[in-house]
């Protein structure tokens, strides 16, 4: 066992200890230079502009600091390695600014702290990643709507409890997926709204005695709102929790759909054929077309949900205030979960766009299935004035007789119906042969279910039209996010660059 002196000899006698740097500081530095450098520089520029506007810096001081900011070699910073000389990227950047501008660069930190600055950087990164993921989700939504329109008349069996239930259409199923995805998109936009709030000016936790403008910082950085309470600005982590919960649910929702698609790719179901770019052949079995793209999606969505769950777990039971648990160690889990969700949305859109549906197999399977017999019971209610429960009893008896005789649903005869009816209601039904055939026809089943939300092709078309309007509105909102982000960086860069050359 090492002695205290041996530990100090190996780890060093001052901050940071070797193992602490290796386990905590170096990974955090590597993430920061990749994810946080751009928002850090944007905040430096915005803070400089605000300090000059509030006359907390002279024109000459602002110009010197602006030149220092623009003289920084950002690519060198991005490719630098952690040495332990500086605790983190913030102090490394601050040191370089002091080297370029002299001591006056220290005034760039007037009325701010790593606390409010760090939260603002995290929020700026998160809003960018949310925007990217939303864009990919909307592209998937657009592809699903096109797929649904193509398959309004593709009759198939709908399942409940994994058992054949009633005829529906591929479009009806896909439109349900669209609506689930739309709710996920709305949750992500809600997470964006609560994320896109400015912490700047909160400083460590109590604001500052300098007459800065928190509202101007909000505006310069493109935040929609100010986090009013300065303690909440540095202590609240629910913006992360909300995003993590939305991502976790989105991954779970989509994973359920991918599971169905994988099942439908089996030879036994023979419903879907994934396009050649997204299948893999076997090294030994020539007949195999492995839909590995869908398999990877299922696994990736599980990892996405897991990373999002890690975010919520790391927030759980932490003190309500500035705390490292919600910072460098946790943020990469949030970023990774969004990156994976974004990637799966993009991949699934490509797979859906190149996938074939075996319409003929679906039609024949539905025609022979007993999924149609709900309509036979409904028809008996209409033709014979029976209660639905009595009609259900008759049709149940007919199904048992057909199964015992190894008949498909479309082979049920009127004689079988009358035989069972005699035993239950004491008479034959007034149903005739054409009515029976129609009642057992899955296309008719779908066609007459034209209530709002039903599988009738015209009703599906109505829903597609409305969802396209929703898609357009959501797309416009996400494009506005992207435009704001670009405008912010452009304005800050152009304004401070003009100062640096005058």
């Amino acid at each position: 066992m090492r002695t205290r002196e041996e530990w100090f000899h190996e780890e060093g006698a001052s901050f940071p200890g070797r193992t602490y740097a290796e386990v905590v500081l170096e990974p955090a530095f590597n993430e920061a230079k990749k994810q946080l450098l751009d928002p850090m520089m944007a905040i430096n520029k915005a803070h400089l502009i605000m300090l000059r506007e509030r006359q907390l810096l002279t024109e000459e001081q602002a110009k010197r600091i602006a030149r220092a900011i623009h003289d920084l070699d950002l690519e060198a910073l991005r490719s630098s390695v952690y040495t332990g000389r500086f605790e983190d990227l913030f102090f490394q950047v601050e040191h370089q600014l002091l080297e370029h501008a002299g001591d006056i660069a220290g005034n760039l930190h007037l009325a701010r702290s790593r606390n409010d600055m760090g939260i603002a950087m995290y929020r700026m990164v998160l809003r960018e990643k949310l925007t990217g993921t939303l864009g990919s989700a909307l592209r998937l939504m657009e592809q699903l709507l096109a797929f649904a329109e193509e398959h309004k008349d593709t009759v198939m069996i709908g399942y409940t409890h994994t058992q054949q239930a009633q005829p529906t259409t591929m479009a009806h199923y896909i439109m349900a997926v669209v609506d689930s995805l739309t709710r996920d998109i709305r949750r992500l936009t809600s997470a964006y709204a609560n994320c896109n709030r400015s912490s700047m000016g909160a400083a460590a936790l109590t604001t500052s005695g300098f007459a800065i403008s928190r509202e101007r910082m909000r505006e310069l950085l493109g935040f929609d709102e100010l986090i009013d309470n300065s303690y909440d600005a540095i202590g609240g982590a629910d913006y992360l929790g909300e995003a993590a919960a939305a991502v976790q649910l989105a991954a779970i929702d989509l994973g359920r759909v991918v599971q169905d698609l994988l099942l439908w790719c089996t030879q036994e179901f023979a419903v879907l054929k994934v396009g050649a770019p997204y299948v893999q052949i076997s090294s030994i079995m020539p007949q195999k077309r492995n839909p590995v793209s869908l398999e990877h999606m299922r696994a990736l969505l599980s990892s996405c949900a897991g990373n999002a769950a890690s975010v919520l777990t790391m927030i759980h039971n932490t003190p309500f205030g500035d705390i490292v648990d919600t910072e460098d160690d946790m943020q990469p889990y949030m970023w990774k979960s969004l990156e994976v969700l974004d990637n799966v949305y993009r991949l699934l859109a490509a797979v859906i766009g190149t996938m074939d549906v075996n319409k003929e197999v679906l039609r024949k399977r539905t025609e022979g299935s007993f999924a149609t017999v709900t309509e036979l019971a409904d028809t008996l209610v209409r033709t014979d004035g029976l209660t639905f429960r009595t009609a259900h009893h008759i049709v149940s008896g007919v199904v048992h007789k057909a199964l015992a005789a190894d008949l498909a649903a479309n082979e049920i005869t009127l004689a079988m119906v009358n035989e069972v009816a005699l035993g239950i209601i004491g008479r034959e039904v007034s149903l005739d042969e054409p009515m029976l055939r129609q009642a057992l026809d899955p296309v008719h089943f779908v066609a007459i279910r034209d209530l709002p939300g039903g599988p009738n092709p015209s009703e599906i078309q109505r829903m597609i039209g409305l969802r396209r309007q929703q898609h357009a509105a959501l797309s416009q909102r996400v494009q506005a996010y992207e435009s704001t982000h670009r405008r912010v960086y452009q304005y800050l860069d152009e304004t401070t660059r003009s100062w640096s050359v005058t």
Side-chain angles (χ1 to χ4, degrees), residues 196-401:
N196 200 35
R197 303 170 68 221
S198 176
S199 58
M200 291 306 297
L205 74 162
T206 60
T207 73
S208 171
F210 289 99
I212 64 164
S213 172
R214 294 194 67 202
E215 185 59 34
R216 179 60 170 151
M217 284 298 291
R218 178 204 68 76
E219 180 184 26
L220 286 168
L221 292 171
F223 288 111
D224 292 325
E225 296 179 44
L226 193 68
I227 306 172
D228 195 24
N229 184 289
S230 62
Y231 193 99
D232 183 33
I234 59 89
D238 52 291
Y239 77 98
L240 283 161
E242 182 177 8
V247 168
Q248 185 177 31
L249 187 53
I252 291 169
D253 286 344
L254 199 59
R256 298 178 71 198
V257 176
V258 170
Q259 177 69 1
D260 280 354
L261 299 182
L262 265 168
L263 186 65
W264 293 350
C265 285
T266 61
Q267 285 93 333
E268 287 76 12
F269 270 82
V271 174
L272 302 177
K273 184 179 180 182
V274 173
Y278 308 107
V279 296
Q280 192 176 68
I281 62 170
S282 167
S283 64
I284 189 174
M285 295 167 281
Q287 84 282 8
K288 294 292 291 298
R289 291 184 86 260
N290 301 326
V292 290
S293 52
L294 291 169
E295 290 181 85
H296 283 297
M297 280 186 249
R298 182 170 58 180
L300 288 168
L301 288 166
S302 294
S303 76
C304 174
N307 280 321
S310 294
V311 172
L312 293 164
T313 303
M314 292 173 81
I315 296 172
H316 175 63
N317 273 354
T318 59
F320 181 47
D322 176 59
I323 196 82
V324 297
D325 306 60
T326 63
E327 296 171 359
D328 293 337
D329 298 320
M330 189 212 66
Q331 296 285 339
Y333 287 97
M334 187 72 253
W335 301 336
K336 183 64 175 176
S337 67
L338 277 164
E339 177 188 344
V340 171
L341 186 59
D342 185 332
N343 288 339
V344 173
Y345 281 150
R346 292 190 301 110
L347 179 56
L348 184 56
V351 170
I352 293 289
T354 55
M355 193 162 57
D356 290 324
V357 177
N358 196 333
K359 297 180 182 182
E360 186 64 16
V361 163
L362 285 173
R363 183 184 61 79
K364 289 183 177 178
R365 186 176 293 154
T366 310
E367 288 173 348
S369 167
F370 288 95
T372 57
V373 298
T374 301
E375 181 54 32
L376 178 56
D378 288 350
T379 300
L380 290 176
V381 172
R382 297 187 194 101
T383 59
D384 285 77
L386 304 176
T387 67
F388 179 76
R389 191 51 58 202
T390 299
H392 182 283
H393 194 27
I394 292 171
V395 173
S396 179
V398 172
V399 170
H400 283 299
K401 285 181 71 67

Side-chain angles (χ1 to χ4, degrees), residues 122-134:
Y122 292 140
R123 286 174 178 266
M124 290 173 75
V125 172
L126 182 55
R127 74 184 183 185
E128 291 269 3
K129 293 185 181 299
L130 282 166
T131 300
T133 302
L134 281 164

Side-chain angles (χ1 to χ4, degrees), residues 25-42:
L25 297 181
E26 185 175 3
F29 178 84
N30 289 334
E31 285 289 346
K33 69 183 184 181
K34 181 170 65 175
Q35 304 285 358
L36 300 177
L37 185 57
D38 286 339
M40 180 186 294
M41 298 313 299

Side-chain angles (χ1 to χ4, degrees), residues 472-487:
L474 289 165
S475 295
Q476 190 173 20
R477 184 184 303 182
V478 172
Q479 287 165 12
Y481 298 162
E482 293 171 340
S483 177
T484 298
H485 302 164
R486 287 193 300 270
R487 177 180 53 77

Side-chain angles (χ1 to χ4, degrees), residues 462-499:
R462 180 195 68 82
M463 287 192 279
I464 291 173
L466 285 176
R467 302 313 182 266
R468 284 196 167 127
Q469 291 175 22
Q470 294 171 355
H471 178 272
L474 289 165
S475 295
Q476 190 173 20
R477 184 184 303 182
V478 172
Q479 287 165 12
Y481 298 162
E482 293 171 340
S483 177
T484 298
H485 302 164
R486 287 193 300 270
R487 177 180 53 77
V488 161
Y489 280 97
Q490 182 178 354
Y491 176 80
L492 294 174
D493 188 67
E494 289 177 352
T495 301
T496 54
R497 191 176 295 279
S498 70
W499 293 359

